[in-house]
Amino acid sequence: MVYVYVIRSQTRNYNYVGISSELEVRVERHNKGQNKTTKSYAPFDLIYTKAFPNHADARVHEKFLKSGKGRAFIKTL
């Protein structure tokens, strides 16, 4: 399974959309500051996940979440 996820910073107004086949490990890396892009925004809460059977389908959903309509959806979470 491949997961699309959204994490929200606990300290700043910042959401991150990502994709991973190892969701728990990936979120843990974000929270430990091991990701250059999200390091200054840690710690995070996992606010959304959706599982897909393959990477191609997950990538389509990730792109949607990064679009205007997707960002509007994320604000409702």
Side-chain angles (χ1 to χ4, degrees):
M1 296 299 283
V2 180
Y3 300 92
V4 175
Y5 63 93
V6 179
I7 53 176
R8 179 172 288 153
S9 174
Q10 293 177 4
T11 58
R12 297 170 72 183
N13 184 23
Y14 179 77
N15 295 321
Y16 179 84
V17 177
I19 186 170
S20 178
S21 59
E22 298 178 328
L23 181 62
E24 295 83 11
V25 173
R26 186 74 174 121
V27 172
E28 186 177 325
R29 287 182 185 156
H30 284 296
N31 279 323
K32 289 182 177 180
Q34 295 175 341
N35 181 287
K36 182 179 178 182
T37 305
T38 60
K39 184 177 184 175
S40 61
Y41 299 99
F44 293 93
D45 292 320
L46 181 65
I47 62 168
Y48 176 82
T49 60
K50 189 167 183 179
F52 294 89
N54 60 57
H55 189 79
D57 291 342
R59 181 71 175 126
V60 169
H61 189 63
E62 181 191 31
K63 283 181 146 183
F64 164 74
L65 290 176
K66 291 181 176 182
S67 72
K69 287 183 180 181
R71 291 199 183 274
F73 168 74
I74 291 170
K75 286 183 181 180
T76 67
L77 300 174

